[in-house]
Amino acid sequence: MKRFLVFFLFMFPSVLFAQTKQMNTGEILQAMKRLNVVGNVLYVAAHPDDENTLFITWLSKEKMVRAGYIAMTRGDGGQNLVGPEQGEYVGLLRTHELLGARSVDGGEQYFTRANDFGFSKTTDEALSFWGKEQILADLVWRIRMFQPDVMVNRFPPDARAGHGHHSASAVLSEEAFKAAADPNRFPEQLAYVKPWQVKRLVWNSFSPNFQNGQPEGSFIKIPLGDYNPLLGKSYTEIAAEARSMHKSQGFGSAKTKNQRSDYALHKAGEEAKTDLFDGIDLSWKRINGGEKVEKMVNEVYNNFKAQNPSASLPALIEIYNAIAALDENVWTTYKKKEVQELILACAGLWFEVNPVDYSVSPNDKIKVNVNVVSRSNANITLEKIAFKASKQDTIINKKLTYNDALNISYELQIPANQAITQPYWLEEKKENGFYKVKDQLLRGLPMKPADLVCDYSFKIDGKSFTFQTPLTYKFVEPSDGEIYRYFEVRPEVTVTIAEKVYSFADNSSKDVVVTLKAGKKGVNGSVTLDVPSSWRVEPMAINFELKDKYEEKKVTFKVFPSTTASEIILKAIATTANGTFNRGIASIEYKHVPTLTLFPFSEAKALRIDLKKKGTKIGYIAGAGDEVPAALQQIGYQVTMLTPTELAKDLSQFDAIIVGIRAYNTEEYLKFFQEKLMEYVKNGGNMVTQYQTNAFYGVSKVKETGPFPFAIGRGRVTDETAEMKIINPEHPLMNTPNKITAKDFEGWVQERGLYFSDKWSDKYETIFSIKDANETEQEGSLLYAKYGKGNFIFTGLAFFRELPAGVPGAYRLFANMISVGK
């Protein structure tokens, strides 16, 4: 394995851009104790939020081993309670929520290339969709890189896991446990790593009773909730803070202050009798010549002076030298990093480099400010500063004095071939089931290490060290204080198409707006919208001039559809003197994560749909992450978003009122308008309620969500190709104004639907019967009832996925629901 000669400071969101790890006295003592623990544990599950943050906290802060969590996916098939992001956007958000959780519980975060394709009922479906061998290879790679002594599965490898992704993670883990030690499995990895045999594999469960009230096999009980006086918190409190980082999934947790025990069920390898680490030497004795390090660490711990941490520097440097003299391996590499963090903490040494702006373009220049300060009287000299990307370095040779900050400004030339800061797994279009990542060394990392970095060469108490930090932008927001964000390399111009999908219900043209945004000053060129010959665009090209950085200009093309039903991809392309640019720009902004910018391909789907509709005015009650209103506007509906203020007005103006997904769960005010909504239906209105759940509040506080009783269950059909059996082909929903046939259910994405009704009044009519393979038919995916003069529909069909994805048949069926009875 390559030797790492530079100390990289990779930080995480809650301290993501604080360039040196700030430690108080208790944390320094905890880190010193941790130096004498030489062992690694890898925790394995499927998604963001699957990990047991308490178990990881206990591993990291009680047992003080190096703890990693590898999630099979980034959660990109899930939904979002805090905003509209879906797909790869929510995957990027959840990646940073996981990093935030790890910054609290002390673990490290890793992934495979698997794409989260939503709920799966079977292990085989998950493994088949992902491509079992390539995801197994990713897990084996991480095992060989991380070299865990113990692996911990969050789930069992069968239906008890409750989700095909969950059980698949356990199946893969058990196979990887064996494959990682076999040099004949994935031999291409051996150019970087060596085979590794994990000592044992266990299943982390909350109970020892697994089958018919009896333990499945041998297990040990692990008390996880102890109080740590150095940290001033119990592990349950720390774990709750980590768990609460999963805000997009609504997993804020209470900080309990009591003992909590979990169980470790033996699955493979050597069986543990009383302790998770039975038979595993977690001391320096496991490393040839390492015994002396343990004694040195004990001495520095016992002699630590809380009022003068820098007094420990000579001893810490001796420990570093002693570890550096040992054979290079996964433990010594990591322990040197830990010692360096302690040296920085005890020296009170802090440094960072901040550009004056948050982005730059290739071949442009940017001013940066380097800030260095020592909050101790230690003997520290800043010898050199270097920026490798721009091949600039400066000899400093300045001795640092107590609390006297050193500020140096540079103008950096960004290389012309500098890559943009796109998340590495989104640089190419994904395949079905997995993201394409060619670079083996990047596979599994949460984010690519920054390209634009600064190297600082210090002499600390006579010992030379080189540290490295990324360029990071910081600013002050009056209501929040100092904020850091990633420093971005942007294309010189981005071209962003306004909508993801353009739906043409007839032969009329649509305006397609493209936003041009400059990544630097003085960008000139032309932009085109590429379509097949059966479609037409006017004009063929539009010239543009952007004088200032970040200047935006919107240009409009008229797109004329094909005369027959078809589906195409619109592509926006800008051309300047420096080349062609086919990336748009999108940002994710929430207070619990840094601002995240990505550059998706400048593409949109365009559909010519054979569609008829009745009625034009829609009132829409938005749910969580709801993109359906924009989709309805695409086919000509006038959509009014119904806030409490709008709901208090006359509703008879609307041809239909639509309730978005989980609106009853997220909008508590709805219970105050439920009676009025039912009166609207009774007086002749149409109401369509999309899927809700019985979780959180809302549904549980509304006596009935429809005019007649029906219950929301957990039924779902995950096979997006499952046959849709029409119970009553003559029903108006199947015939007016669009004739619905089997063709309308082709091309659906991710699933047919979820949270179907499982009980309903006989006043409702069922429309479809559907099922996943080897399951019983379900009829609760769409309920229809006539109520007074109007019509009420409840549907668990996944329109919230199908309409934004541009599925023609979903548009046609939704139009029928809006039009029924008209």
Side-chain angles (χ1 to χ4, degrees):
M1 186 183 298
K2 296 179 180 178
R3 293 176 64 91
F4 290 89
L5 303 180
V6 176
F7 176 35
F8 295 86
L9 293 173
F10 295 143
M11 300 298 157
F12 305 109
S14 64
V15 288
L16 183 57
F17 306 108
Q19 298 311 314
T20 48
K21 184 175 281 188
Q22 308 283 297
M23 298 187 199
N24 59 38
T25 299
E27 291 167 334
I28 289 174
L29 287 169
Q30 175 84 0
M32 286 180 173
K33 290 176 64 177
R34 184 183 171 98
L35 279 180
N36 267 343
V37 180
V38 186
N40 301 340
V41 177
L42 189 63
Y43 199 96
V44 183
H47 308 109
D49 86 0
D50 283 345
E51 81 279 20
N52 183 348
T53 56
L54 179 54
F55 203 101
I56 293 173
T57 300
W58 175 79
L59 287 170
S60 176
K61 301 185 184 296
E62 173 63 23
K63 304 305 288 186
M64 292 180 287
V65 296
R66 184 185 178 195
Y69 171 47
I70 182 165
M72 298 298 104
T73 79
R74 296 177 186 263
D76 30 27
Q79 294 167 46
N80 182 1
L81 281 178
V82 298
E85 291 83 10
Q86 291 189 27
E88 62 267 28
Y89 298 93
V90 79
L92 182 60
L93 170 60
R94 290 184 178 173
T95 293
H96 283 77
E97 289 180 336
L98 279 169
L99 288 173
R102 299 295 80 75
S103 73
V104 174
D105 62 32
E108 300 174 32
Q109 186 61 51
Y110 301 102
F111 298 93
T112 76
R113 288 169 290 164
N115 178 232
D116 180 359
F117 58 92
F119 189 86
S120 174
K121 293 181 178 179
T122 69
T123 304
D124 288 344
E125 180 188 34
L127 295 178
S128 174
F129 188 84
W130 290 339
K132 179 182 176 182
E133 281 298 294
Q134 63 195 6
I135 305 307
L136 177 62
D138 288 354
L139 186 50
V140 167
W141 167 254
R142 188 51 49 193
I143 293 169
R144 289 171 172 173
M145 284 286 286
F146 199 78
Q147 295 185 13
D149 299 297
V150 177
M151 289 174 58
V152 182
N153 286 352
R154 181 65 191 87
F155 299 106
D158 51 49
R160 289 172 292 170
H163 190 314
H165 295 177
H166 294 170
S167 53
S169 73
V171 168
L172 289 166
S173 182
E174 291 188 21
E175 291 198 24
F177 178 86
K178 299 176 182 177
D182 184 351
N184 296 314
R185 298 302 307 276
F186 312 111
E188 70 280 359
Q189 297 178 2
L190 302 184
Y192 308 97
V193 293
K194 63 182 181 180
W196 179 255
Q197 179 59 68
V198 183
K199 187 81 167 180
R200 68 174 53 94
L201 172 67
V202 300
W203 167 23
N204 166 214
S205 178
F206 297 141
S207 168
N209 299 316
F210 298 99
Q211 291 182 344
N212 302 319
Q214 296 298 318
E216 180 180 300
S218 65
F219 65 89
I220 57 172
K221 185 177 181 180
I222 304 176
L224 301 175
D226 289 349
Y227 176 79
N228 189 317
L230 291 178
L231 304 179
K233 297 177 182 179
S234 67
Y235 301 131
T236 52
E237 292 174 276
I238 296 170
E241 291 176 9
R243 183 73 171 168
S244 296
M245 287 303 298
H246 294 299
K247 299 184 190 304
S248 68
Q249 301 183 76
F251 283 134
S253 300
K255 297 181 181 180
T256 58
K257 300 174 178 64
N258 61 301
Q259 188 57 266
R260 218 286 293 284
S261 294
D262 274 15
Y263 298 84
L265 175 71
H266 177 72
K267 297 300 292 182
E270 294 186 16
E271 186 175 320
K273 300 298 184 183
T274 60
D275 184 85
L276 185 64
F277 299 98
D278 279 346
I280 300 171
D281 188 350
L282 296 180
S283 76
W284 281 100
K285 295 177 182 177
R286 73 187 303 172
I287 299 173
N288 185 31
E291 295 92 333
K292 62 182 178 183
V293 176
E294 182 173 352
K295 182 179 179 181
M296 297 169 73
V297 171
N298 288 335
E299 288 178 358
V300 74
Y301 180 86
N302 292 330
N303 294 325
F304 179 72
K305 294 178 174 59
Q307 296 299 318
N308 185 20
S310 63
S312 297
L313 285 174
L316 288 169
I317 290 171
E318 287 184 14
I319 291 171
Y320 179 86
N321 290 336
I323 297 173
L326 302 174
D327 291 339
E328 185 80 9
N329 56 50
V330 68
W331 300 298
T332 57
T333 298
Y334 189 71
K335 289 301 174 184
K336 283 191 294 182
K337 172 181 176 293
E338 288 186 329
V339 177
Q340 287 172 311
E341 289 176 346
L342 275 167
I343 288 171
L344 292 176
C346 290
L349 186 56
W350 180 90
F351 44 88
E352 68 178 3
V353 55
N354 308 120
V356 297
D357 199 355
Y358 57 81
S359 80
V360 71
S361 289
N363 204 33
D364 209 355
K365 293 181 179 180
I366 186 80
K367 181 182 176 183
V368 301
N369 297 312
V370 176
N371 303 290
V372 181
V373 64
S374 171
R375 275 81 64 86
S376 77
N377 289 313
N379 183 16
I380 304 173
T381 298
L382 175 59
E383 297 181 311
K384 181 180 176 181
I385 291 174
F387 299 93
K388 292 183 178 179
S390 58
K391 298 180 181 179
Q392 294 173 242
D393 58 45
T394 304
I395 302 299
I396 306 295
N397 281 335
K398 179 173 176 58
K399 189 176 187 300
L400 303 181
T401 57
Y402 171 74
N403 217 27
D404 185 11
L406 178 64
N407 306 113
I408 308 172
S409 295
Y410 295 89
E411 186 174 63
L412 300 185
Q413 174 67 51
I414 305 302
N417 62 350
Q418 182 63 53
I420 62 173
T421 51
Q422 180 79 338
Y424 73 88
W425 66 96
L426 300 177
E427 289 178 359
E428 297 188 53
K429 295 180 180 179
K430 68 181 178 183
E431 300 282 352
N432 285 336
F434 70 98
Y435 289 107
K436 295 172 68 176
V437 181
K438 293 179 181 178
D439 189 339
Q440 179 68 54
L441 294 175
L442 287 179
R443 289 181 184 176
L445 295 181
M447 295 290 287
K448 177 185 176 182
D451 292 322
L452 300 180
V453 297
C454 179
D455 286 353
Y456 313 77
S457 296
F458 292 97
K459 184 166 284 187
I460 303 174
D461 208 34
K463 174 72 174 179
S464 292
F465 292 94
T466 297
F467 304 101
Q468 186 181 91
T469 66
L471 278 63
T472 51
Y473 178 73
K474 73 175 181 180
F475 63 100
V476 174
E477 207 286 320
S479 61
D480 291 309
E482 191 172 78
I483 296 175
Y484 286 79
R485 65 178 285 175
Y486 285 114
F487 180 59
E488 304 162 9
V489 180
R490 297 185 169 192
E492 70 173 59
V493 62
T494 55
V495 278
T496 306
I497 301 176
E499 304 290 344
K500 296 178 182 178
V501 176
Y502 291 87
S503 301
F504 296 78
D506 53 34
N507 293 330
S508 301
S509 67
K510 280 186 180 292
D511 287 346
V512 174
V513 177
V514 177
T515 300
L516 298 139
K517 188 178 184 73
K520 65 178 186 180
K521 291 183 177 180
V523 181
N524 303 287
S526 64
V527 60
T528 59
L529 199 61
D530 184 40
V531 298
S533 59
S534 58
W535 292 57
R536 183 163 54 91
V537 174
E538 293 181 356
M540 295 183 64
I542 299 175
N543 294 329
F544 66 87
E545 180 181 7
L546 302 171
K547 295 181 180 179
D548 298 318
K549 187 177 182 180
Y550 303 129
E551 183 180 348
E552 292 186 4
K553 181 177 182 180
K554 296 183 185 297
V555 298
T556 303
F557 294 93
K558 280 197 175 297
V559 175
F560 297 82
S562 167
T563 57
T564 58
S566 60
E567 177 181 316
I568 66 165
I569 299 297
L570 300 172
K571 297 180 180 181
I573 301 171
T575 303
T576 73
N578 295 318
T580 59
F581 300 87
N582 64 348
R583 296 271 187 174
I585 187 170
S587 292
I588 300 170
E589 298 187 39
Y590 298 101
K591 287 187 176 181
H592 67 293
V593 297
T595 296
L596 304 170
T597 303
L598 64 165
F599 304 97
F601 289 102
S602 307
E603 297 180 354
K605 183 184 288 188
L607 309 168
R608 171 62 173 92
I609 307 173
D610 179 13
L611 182 141
K612 302 178 183 66
K613 59 187 179 66
K614 297 181 180 180
T616 57
K617 297 189 70 175
I618 303 294
Y620 200 98
I621 301 170
D626 204 335
E627 295 182 286
V628 170
L632 295 178
Q633 289 173 326
Q634 279 292 320
I635 54 174
Y637 287 108
Q638 300 172 26
V639 180
T640 300
M641 304 308 292
L642 298 183
T643 62
T645 299
E646 295 297 326
L647 280 168
K649 298 178 182 178
D650 179 18
L651 301 180
S652 65
Q653 60 179 303
F654 298 112
D655 295 301
I657 290 176
I658 300 168
V659 180
I661 58 172
R662 294 186 296 178
Y664 282 104
N665 305 123
T666 60
E667 307 299 336
E668 193 169 9
Y669 67 79
L670 272 181
K671 65 186 178 184
F672 302 114
F673 293 97
Q674 186 64 17
E675 184 176 342
K676 185 176 182 179
L677 289 170
M678 291 302 100
E679 280 297 313
Y680 161 79
V681 177
K682 189 175 183 180
N683 292 333
N686 285 356
M687 182 171 171
V688 179
T689 296
Q690 297 175 82
Y691 97 81
Q692 313 293 317
T693 77
N694 283 311
F696 309 109
Y697 55 78
V699 168
S700 60
K701 295 187 178 182
V702 176
K703 185 176 180 180
E704 299 294 346
T705 52
F708 311 110
F710 71 92
I712 297 171
R714 297 187 63 83
R716 64 198 304 161
V717 172
T718 62
D719 180 1
E720 64 269 33
T721 66
E723 181 185 2
M724 300 287 292
K725 296 180 180 178
I726 302 173
I727 295 173
N728 180 4
E730 304 306 316
H731 196 282
L733 284 173
M734 295 295 99
N735 293 279
T736 305
N738 303 289
K739 177 67 175 177
I740 302 300
T741 68
K743 185 174 179 57
D744 290 297
F745 298 101
E746 295 176 1
W748 283 48
V749 299
Q750 191 159 317
E751 59 196 341
R752 285 297 191 199
L754 65 169
Y755 294 106
F756 297 162
S757 177
D758 56 3
K759 295 179 183 178
W760 53 84
S761 163
D762 60 7
K763 289 186 167 44
Y764 289 104
E765 297 177 65
T766 58
I767 307 300
F768 301 109
S769 176
I770 54 177
K771 69 182 182 71
D772 277 317
N774 303 316
E775 293 190 356
T776 57
E777 298 280 348
Q778 300 185 67
E779 296 186 8
S781 65
L782 195 153
L783 306 179
Y784 166 82
K786 186 73 179 175
Y787 181 58
K789 299 178 182 178
N791 305 276
F792 176 85
I793 294 170
F794 166 78
T795 180
L797 294 176
F799 290 105
F800 72 100
R801 295 196 192 280
E802 313 313 321
L803 298 182
V807 178
Y811 278 96
R812 286 163 47 83
L813 179 55
F814 211 95
N816 280 15
M817 294 192 299
I818 292 171
S819 305
V820 67
K822 296 190 185 302

